[in-house]
Amino acid sequence: MKRIIYILSVVLLLGSAMTAQAQGKHRNYVVGFYNLENLFDIYDDPVKNDAEYTPEGKNKWTEAKYQKKLSNMARVIKEMAKENGRYHTILGVSEIENRLVLEDLVSQPAIADANYQIIHYDGPDRRGVDVALLYNPKQFTYLDSESIPYTFDSPTIDFIMSKEEQEYFKTRDVLMVHGLIEGEHFAIYVAHLPSRAGDKKGSYQLRDRGGEIIYNHAMEMQKKYPGIKIITMGDMNDNPTDTSISVYHHAKENVEDVTETDFFCPFISMLKAGYGSLAYRGEWSIYDLILVNKNLLDAPDGGLKIHQFKTGYYGRVFKKPFLITQKGQYKGYPFRTFSNGSFVGGYSDHLPTYIVLSK
């Protein structure tokens, strides 16, 4: 009898080990980015240019509208979780006013069970919008972070802007978060590069410099932590074929072309195939980019690496009917919060993007 019990115990233990091993091989981690399009609270901050997002301001930004916006953002996150069978491990966000709006977002009933933790720094942007990172503490171990300021100290760019204009210019910092997934070192960068407005003053150079800042810091992290896996993401206000990404961020379209000092951008081929995360004057672009370094692209067996979808692409634009305007002048465009100055109760002028990591 004891022998039978022993044999059964061994069989059960082996079965459990094999099941755990199988689950380990198929464990996925979703890493994404979403521009939340002006997620402001209703309070006037005297040090920010946020007056239009108050009850008395231009947008008549009331508590009801704010709560609708929060509910909408939570719905998008929840729907992505349904599609993937799990919440994001990492979700970078932009166009958020402060930590308060993030606390209100992660506590929304639809996504409260995700228990998202927040990493955010107040930045210097004159309008008051920042970037931030939400993470699942069961899947990502936070180690440290840094808010990287925007500077004009470029050895390669001869800026059109005068020194006085450079001193006045303020934009979002780049957020770097360092942590662990399954014991593997990761550095995640979240950015919102300068807008395309004001090209006469060389706004493309401002984004080139932004790409350079991210890239240089990432290369420093590779030297400091050999083998570290790096993900950069954000609203780059440029397509992946523009110089800020293709040249200054050293982005490559093809897996086989990526070296230790390059980044792989899955959205280059997707852009060429007609995918988009935002639309303007009838043309779709992908500004909401996610890139990975070679360590994450070519990880050895048993290590986390970027996953290829059934579509053949390594990236995903989350484009569902409820996120798209269904009628009127902007039919087919992302369904945004305001249209022609009127509150229409939509979501964002950007669609979220994501990648999946697996072993």
Side-chain angles (χ1 to χ4, degrees):
M1 187 66 177
K2 291 182 179 180
R3 180 177 175 81
I4 293 173
I5 294 173
Y6 173 76
I7 293 171
L8 286 173
S9 299
V10 171
V11 169
L12 287 171
L13 285 171
L14 286 173
S16 298
M18 290 175 68
T19 300
Q21 185 180 29
Q23 288 176 344
K25 286 183 177 179
H26 294 90
R27 191 178 296 127
N28 292 334
Y29 299 90
V30 182
V31 176
F33 174 79
Y34 194 17
N35 180 325
L36 303 182
E37 192 197 17
N38 297 320
L39 181 55
F40 280 77
D41 62 33
I42 66 170
Y43 310 108
D44 183 27
D45 187 330
V47 301
K48 296 178 181 178
N49 185 16
D50 65 346
E52 62 182 326
Y53 283 94
T54 61
E56 300 78 23
K58 175 184 174 182
N59 291 326
K60 305 298 181 185
W61 194 240
T62 62
E63 181 68 21
K65 290 177 180 177
Y66 174 56
Q67 291 300 326
K68 173 63 174 173
K69 177 74 172 181
L70 289 170
S71 176
N72 282 355
M73 298 297 91
R75 180 188 176 187
V76 180
I77 295 170
K78 185 68 173 183
E79 291 296 326
M80 285 191 283
K82 289 179 181 178
E83 176 172 281
N84 291 298
R86 57 187 55 79
Y87 282 110
H88 285 72
T89 299
I90 296 291
L91 179 61
V93 294
S94 69
E95 290 200 18
I96 54 98
E97 183 182 11
N98 50 38
R99 186 181 179 90
L100 171 64
V101 300
L102 293 173
E103 291 175 347
D104 288 345
L105 174 60
V106 301
S107 63
Q108 288 291 297
I111 61 172
D113 59 325
N115 191 30
Y116 280 124
Q117 302 300 296
I118 300 166
I119 302 174
H120 165 260
Y121 293 82
D122 284 314
D125 185 87
R126 294 189 185 281
R127 206 164 63 84
V129 291
D130 297 325
V131 298
L133 185 138
L134 309 179
Y135 71 93
N136 183 336
K138 291 182 178 179
Q139 299 175 4
F140 180 79
T141 302
Y142 170 73
L143 295 177
D144 55 72
S145 59
E146 180 180 353
S147 192
I148 307 166
Y150 186 97
T151 69
F152 287 87
D153 301 329
S154 172
T156 61
I157 303 170
D158 184 14
F159 292 101
I160 295 173
M161 291 177 71
S162 67
K163 292 296 182 183
E164 291 76 15
E165 289 169 328
Q166 291 177 25
E167 290 175 2
Y168 180 79
F169 180 79
K170 302 293 181 183
T171 191
R172 283 76 57 175
D173 289 353
V174 175
L175 173 64
M176 189 285 295
V177 179
H178 176 211
L180 306 173
I181 301 177
E182 290 200 14
E184 298 183 23
H185 272 269
F186 278 79
I188 297 106
Y189 293 79
V190 187
H192 186 182
L193 298 189
S195 77
R196 300 176 72 85
D199 264 340
K200 290 182 179 179
K201 291 297 182 181
S203 75
Y204 68 93
Q205 292 183 321
L206 301 178
R207 294 187 296 282
D208 286 349
R209 175 58 180 154
E212 185 177 58
I213 289 170
I214 299 168
Y215 177 80
N216 288 345
H217 196 283
M219 291 300 102
E220 291 175 6
M221 288 296 286
Q222 283 195 169
K223 291 179 182 178
K224 187 175 181 179
Y225 301 98
I228 192 169
K229 295 179 177 181
I230 299 177
I231 302 170
T232 67
M233 65 172 73
D235 175 358
M236 304 303 186
N237 268 309
D238 266 339
N239 276 309
T241 50
D242 291 319
T243 56
S244 62
I245 307 301
S246 63
V247 176
Y248 289 90
H249 200 309
H250 295 246
K252 302 295 183 183
E253 176 181 1
N254 301 312
V255 171
E256 60 271 18
D257 295 333
V258 180
T259 72
E260 298 291 343
T261 55
D262 294 318
F263 280 82
F264 171 61
C265 182
F267 296 96
I268 298 176
S269 57
M270 294 180 70
L271 175 69
K272 292 178 179 179
Y275 288 84
S277 63
L278 75 160
Y280 180 68
R281 293 183 177 177
E283 183 176 344
W284 283 87
S285 296
I286 306 182
Y287 291 175
D288 306 274
L289 303 177
I290 305 172
L291 303 91
V292 302
N293 70 339
K294 188 175 178 63
N295 292 332
L296 191 50
L297 179 64
D298 293 332
D301 290 343
L304 287 168
K305 64 178 68 175
I306 188 170
H307 172 81
Q308 188 173 24
F309 293 96
K310 291 180 180 179
T311 59
Y313 298 110
Y314 288 86
R316 172 95 165 94
V317 177
F318 189 71
K319 186 179 182 181
K320 296 293 185 178
F322 75 92
L323 290 173
I324 302 299
T325 305
Q326 298 299 317
K327 59 183 179 180
Q329 179 182 359
Y330 298 107
K331 181 179 179 180
Y333 285 54
F335 183 29
R336 56 191 304 175
T337 309
F338 286 88
S339 180
N340 290 326
S342 298
F343 180 76
V344 293
Y347 296 81
S348 173
D349 55 345
H350 291 247
L351 300 174
T353 56
Y354 67 81
I355 62 173
V356 171
L357 312 181
S358 63
K359 288 188 175 182

